[in-house]
Amino acid sequence: MSDEGGTGEPLSDSQKREIAVWFLSNAPAGEIHYVAKDVRALLGDDAVYEAAAAEAFPEYNKARLVSLELPDRSGDIIITAYGEIDKNNYLDPRTAQVASIDHMKQTCTKLRPAEDEELPSAYIEEFRCALDVELSKYVAEAYPKGTCAVYCTSGKDIEGPGADFCFAAVISATKRSPQNFCWRSIWTMEFNYELQFVDIKGNIQVDAHYFEEGNVQLDTNIDRKDSTIMQSPDDCAVSITSIIRHHESEYLSSLEESYLNLSDATFKDLRRKLPVTRTLFPWHNTLAVSLTRDLAKQLALGK
């Protein structure tokens, strides 16, 4: 990395770190280690790189909803702010365990049982677990390499009916090299006991990066809203999962339709419809072009 900024002044270590953090944080899905290798080589300073990586990797893992296999092979854990106990420890609500994470290596290093204060009450867990079961069925069906988790984000200590509580359902699906694809969706639910109503909001993010025989990237996201009535834990779980399935399938269909229209519409809009002569090229009669006529004469074409 050059030691000079735009004014000709040498870059400070702080400036180098900020630049490195930006590149690491904006690495395409599943490619941060490739980017990190190049950033480290460009910096030529291990201390600056380590400082940048220590800042960028945890945020990247959370933003990308990276899923990692648990050491006991009991499943996968999603790195998300909803399960964050501290910078290096994350709750897996399905197994009621806390995993220690090595962010730069993207591995789980150890597990411990979650403490009582880290888990929801039995009443809330009944709702959470029912939704987790239904959502897992949907994700296994819809995403070959998908992982999901359901977290209680508010009201986890409620012992029975009569108060409001909130959940966050997180879905992460990634397909790696050479066609890197990352589907991330977060669905938040507010259970209103007085109105017997569940307000549902979702955000879907899709990243794709194809880098063999070309370099094409897709980065898109969309918000969705819906609602359902508050019912028993099992009935709520079925209803909420059905709503999530509907919105995600609808969005996927819209993406597929957009791909089909790329060649007919989008790519045509990327360039002028007419050349600077304001006339279309006469492909049906190339002899109308003087250069073609001259070449034909010289090569004695048509004789």
Side-chain angles (χ1 to χ4, degrees):
M1 182 176 291
S2 173
D3 287 336
E4 293 187 356
T7 62
E9 296 292 330
L11 290 174
S12 66
D13 286 349
S14 177
Q15 289 174 314
K16 292 179 183 178
R17 180 185 58 76
E18 289 178 7
I19 294 171
V21 167
W22 187 92
F23 276 106
L24 292 169
S25 300
N26 288 277
E31 297 177 49
I32 189 170
H33 286 110
Y34 298 121
V35 175
K37 182 179 179 181
D38 291 338
V39 167
R40 186 168 204 156
L42 288 169
L43 283 172
D45 187 323
D46 285 348
V48 174
Y49 169 78
E50 293 294 340
E55 179 180 346
F57 269 85
E59 295 306 314
Y60 178 91
N61 291 339
K62 286 189 290 184
R64 300 287 179 170
L65 300 179
V66 172
S67 62
L68 304 174
E69 185 178 32
L70 295 171
D72 62 358
R73 300 183 181 276
S74 59
D76 293 334
I77 185 172
I78 298 178
I79 309 305
T80 169
Y82 295 111
E84 187 174 18
I85 305 296
D86 56 46
K87 186 176 181 179
N88 296 314
N89 293 283
Y90 292 80
L91 173 68
D92 176 37
R94 185 175 299 145
T95 63
Q97 298 182 101
V98 174
S100 295
I101 306 299
D102 184 324
H103 283 286
M104 285 188 274
K105 292 182 180 179
Q106 292 185 330
T107 58
C108 294
T109 57
K110 61 181 180 179
L111 284 173
R112 67 166 174 83
E115 298 177 4
D116 289 343
E117 58 268 23
E118 295 168 338
L119 298 172
S121 67
Y123 171 73
I124 296 297
E125 177 61 16
E126 189 176 3
F127 279 89
R128 193 212 64 78
C129 184
L131 179 56
D132 185 62
V133 169
E134 289 298 321
L135 195 65
S136 296
K137 293 177 185 177
Y138 158 62
V139 170
E141 173 189 320
Y143 305 103
K145 295 186 180 296
T147 308
C148 67
V150 180
Y151 303 86
C152 179
T153 58
S154 175
K156 72 181 183 66
D157 296 325
I158 295 172
E159 296 292 345
D164 301 342
F165 56 93
C166 300
F167 285 171
V170 178
I171 299 173
S172 175
T174 302
K175 181 180 179 181
R176 309 216 179 246
S177 180
Q179 295 172 318
N180 288 286
F181 175 87
C182 180
W183 176 287
R184 310 188 301 276
S185 59
I186 297 176
W187 297 88
T188 59
M189 290 134 265
E190 296 182 10
F191 293 76
N192 188 306
Y193 180 81
E194 183 178 355
L195 298 177
Q196 290 293 289
F197 190 78
V198 183
D199 187 44
I200 304 169
K201 297 179 182 179
N203 175 260
I204 305 171
Q205 298 182 345
V206 180
D207 301 327
H209 183 208
Y210 182 77
F211 57 87
E212 285 195 355
E213 300 179 359
N215 191 335
V216 179
Q217 294 193 55
L218 167 73
D219 186 355
T220 180
N221 74 86
I222 194 169
D223 294 323
R224 286 287 186 260
K225 290 183 179 181
D226 215 314
S227 61
T228 186
I229 59 173
M230 191 169 177
Q231 307 168 76
S232 68
D234 289 340
D235 289 338
C236 266
V238 171
S239 179
I240 292 170
T241 301
S242 178
I243 288 171
I244 293 174
R245 180 195 298 269
H246 166 74
H247 285 293
E248 295 196 346
S249 298
E250 185 179 64
Y251 185 50
L252 183 59
S253 295
S254 71
L255 287 177
E256 291 174 341
E257 184 178 348
S258 296
Y259 286 140
L260 292 176
N261 292 331
L262 275 177
S263 60
D264 293 333
T266 306
F267 285 147
K268 287 183 179 179
D269 291 337
L270 295 178
R271 53 160 293 164
R272 67 172 93 237
K273 291 180 172 57
L274 293 174
V276 291
T277 61
R278 309 303 297 168
T279 58
L280 293 173
F281 186 84
W283 292 107
H284 61 285
N285 182 18
T286 57
L287 288 177
V289 181
S290 60
L291 178 61
T292 306
R293 292 198 301 269
D294 293 341
L295 287 172
K297 289 179 181 178
Q298 292 181 26
L299 298 175
L301 294 176
K303 292 185 179 180

